[in-house]
Amino acid sequence: MKILIIGSGPAGYTAAIYLGRSGHQPIIIEGLQPGGQLTTTTLVENYPGFPDGIDATQLMDNMRQQAINCGAQIVPNTVVETDLSRQPYTITLDDGQKFTTPVLIIATGATAKYLGLHEEQKYKGLGVSACATCDGFFYRKKIVAVVGGGDTACEEATYLAGLANKVYLIVRKSYLRASHAMQQRVFDNPKIDILFETNVTSLYGNEALEGLKLIHRKGEPDQSTSELAVDGLFLAIGHQPNSELFRPWLQTDEQGYIITQGITPLTNLPGIFAAGDVADPTYRQAINAAASGCRAAIEAERYLQSCI
Ligand code: NDP
């Protein structure tokens, strides 16, 4: 039976590997960014099985090839419309091609929010990152800045303080939005300096990032500007789950993450499973995404069995 998987990150590929091996013909709609978010980083050192780390693009190419070897068909296209009002569900691609399927695995991931400064793209992978767990290791004994005042920013600043010599936490408001416990960890850490009421206006550097231009108390009578030399800039201003196409039919939380039942990938619709970051506001790690892709494949298989 053909099963449609939307998304080509670790969740989508893992689901395809499992479904292919159990005799189905998974079709992966690859999307705009084949390989998913991981392809925006360089070396992956926290994915088990690679003692010396592995190039992120290589890791995703390996997963893709493994899915193909297990029988997956890859469709290099993007979904532009869905009709999940009835089974079989209908998916429309941007070339007008339509697929119908009784079983759908949604693994469309999430997108880190960036500030919108054009230099962010220039220094991506050369000092700018949106994942401290992925890239923090490259900033051992260096100076880094984290932008954001929520739990993610505090968690990332604390994590980076374990590696870097100095961490600046750049917060646009005069207070942190993070939970009390998380704030306390930041306040108690002597390596972290908090710059409240501060925004980043631009980034500078030659080949790689060398520093930030900042504005303090923007719009106030005592507004001022400064420069801050840093080796790394980590954005922690939230993620956007890629769930827009499904929101008319699937239950999502207030941030748009697809709600699944407990640790299962089951959504509120029969035969539709969500895996990876699109349903994970908390952990957002490739290994978790892969594991949830496995769970989605197993549940899809069980669902098909129950329909016979
Ligand atoms: P949040 O939305 O909670 O926080 C985003 C932060 O980024 C805010 O401080 C916000 O500022 C700031 N921000 C947003 N846009 C900009 C911008 N353009 N320029 C500067 N600053 C900006 O996102 P998080 O990722 O921190 O958390 C998401 C959810 O995940 C939360 O519910 C959180 O509790 C949860 N979480 C829980 C963890 C845990 O319990 N261990 C760990 C990590 C996350 P402002 O306050 O001014 O809007």
Side-chain angles (χ1 to χ4, degrees), residues 113-115 147-155 170-173 175-179 182 198-199 236-239 254-255 257 281-282 284:
K113 292 183 192 163
Y114 282 78
L115 294 168
V147 181
D151 281 318
T152 302
C154 289
E155 194 168 68
I170 300 174
V171 184
R172 67 179 174 184
K173 291 208 172 116
Y175 57 87
L176 294 171
R177 178 204 282 226
S179 61
M182 208 72 93
T198 302
N199 281 285
I237 59 173
H239 279 73
E254 66 281 357
Q255 296 174 77
Y257 288 93
T282 310
R284 298 197 294 258

Side-chain angles (χ1 to χ4, degrees), residues 253-270:
D253 69 10
E254 66 281 357
Q255 296 174 77
Y257 288 93
I258 295 175
I259 295 174
T260 54
Q261 297 172 23
I263 63 156
T264 77
L266 276 67
T267 67
N268 56 298
L269 288 182

Side-chain angles (χ1 to χ4, degrees), residues 97-180:
Q97 210 180 152
K98 283 189 192 296
F99 286 87
T100 55
T101 179
V103 179
L104 178 64
I105 294 180
I106 299 170
T108 45
T111 306
K113 292 183 192 163
Y114 282 78
L115 294 168
L117 305 170
H118 81 270
E119 303 96 341
E120 281 172 319
Q121 298 308 316
K122 179 177 170 190
Y123 296 118
K124 225 179 193 180
L126 295 168
V128 172
S129 168
C131 178
T133 324
C134 317
D135 297 328
F137 192 67
F138 303 115
Y139 298 92
R140 275 165 299 162
K141 302 200 187 313
K142 296 196 171 178
I143 299 171
V144 298
V146 177
V147 181
D151 281 318
T152 302
C154 289
E155 194 168 68
E156 302 227 330
T158 307
Y159 176 80
L160 287 165
L163 298 163
N165 276 348
K166 185 88 215 160
V167 179
Y168 293 98
L169 182 59
I170 300 174
V171 184
R172 67 179 174 184
K173 291 208 172 116
S174 59
Y175 57 87
L176 294 171
R177 178 204 282 226
S179 61
H180 179 74

